[in-house]
Amino acid sequence: MSSMSKLTTASSRRQFLTLLGLSAVAVSCGTGGGGSAKDQSKTLRYQGWAGSVILPELAEDLGFLEDVKLKWVGNTISGPQDIQSAATGQVDFGGAFNGAVVKLAARKAPITAVVSYYGVDKAAYNGFYVLKDSPIRSARDLIGQKVGMNTLGAHSEAMLDIYLQRHGLSQADIKKVEPLVVPPVNTEQSLRQKQIQVGVLGDILRDKALQTGGIRPLFTDHQLLGDFSAGTYVVNNRFLKENPDTTRTFVTGIARAIEWARATPREEVIERLIEIVKKRGRNEDTGPLKYWKSFGVAETAGRITDKDLELWIDWLAKRGDIEKGQVKASDLYTNEFNEYSRKDKQKNKPSAAKQTSKSGS
């Protein structure tokens, strides 16, 4: 790829953060309660990720969504964009880093987080990588350097800020570190070609790059914060009111898929993920899926806790992106629709992997 023409500059960073708030167009939340079960929508529009299988897709393939069907409307490469689409009603659910969820909710977007879908653990994490012979060894060495990441104002930028703050950099110095948008599939190449000095690599792309060699981690988000749920799926409040039973089936299905993936041997999960990608027929590379290890969700069944959001409320307030006290964590989410129970544990035993797929797509 050509060098810096593909990279977004620091000025775009500020524009992005502004647009994130402004683009959350107010959508009526509705005033009526949920309709009868037969009147509720049974089809959920959503955006996927090229070459990946998201938890709702896995849940549908396992039959955990029951009579609820998914309708793919295209792919996204940005969590903030995905939840903005949910806020404006272009899709029925979207997922993003919890800091982006907090920021959008603070702008009065009519959304509610309903289930965690990704997180950080020893197997699933993002690392900030440099070339093996790079002079960058510490947080202070990052001053004046370019750090390539998938999306600004989201998970990776939050981790970078926390790392710099914890190592004593002033806000003035932090502003001299330059986060840039680099598509994940291009991050390794951009790092090796020295178009950026640090590249954020996670999961599949990280393991492929490490296998090639020649890079080393500066730090990882797991080293910073340990195990934690990092992102949630949100649903438009109007959809919640009009389709409570559908939402319950959807959320509980995802919860079951999370626990199925925990209980099932890794090789069987990977086999299932590859099968799903092949069946949908979008000419995607399934090779990277063999590196899958974990969804990283910390809480059982993806249940959301106050702490999942409070960290990012504090982070955004320190940055000046929201006012202190502007939002309360408990107002941003609900576990009401998550009905995963002990009975589900029996259903999610590894033998469930052998059941016939119900998605057909």
Side-chain angles (χ1 to χ4, degrees), residues 218-235:
L218 180 63
F219 70 94
T220 72
D221 47 13
H222 189 257
Q223 290 172 340
L224 277 182
L225 299 175
D227 293 357
F228 65 98
S229 291
T232 49
Y233 282 122
V234 304
V235 178

Side-chain angles (χ1 to χ4, degrees), residues 295-325:
F295 287 109
V297 177
E299 300 295 330
T300 299
R303 290 192 177 91
I304 306 170
T305 66
D306 283 1
K307 68 180 182 180
D308 294 334
L309 297 159
E310 284 171 346
L311 176 66
W312 313 118
I313 291 174
D314 293 342
W315 173 67
L316 288 165
K318 285 178 182 177
R319 285 166 56 99
D321 292 333
I322 65 173
E323 296 292 331
K324 187 174 182 180

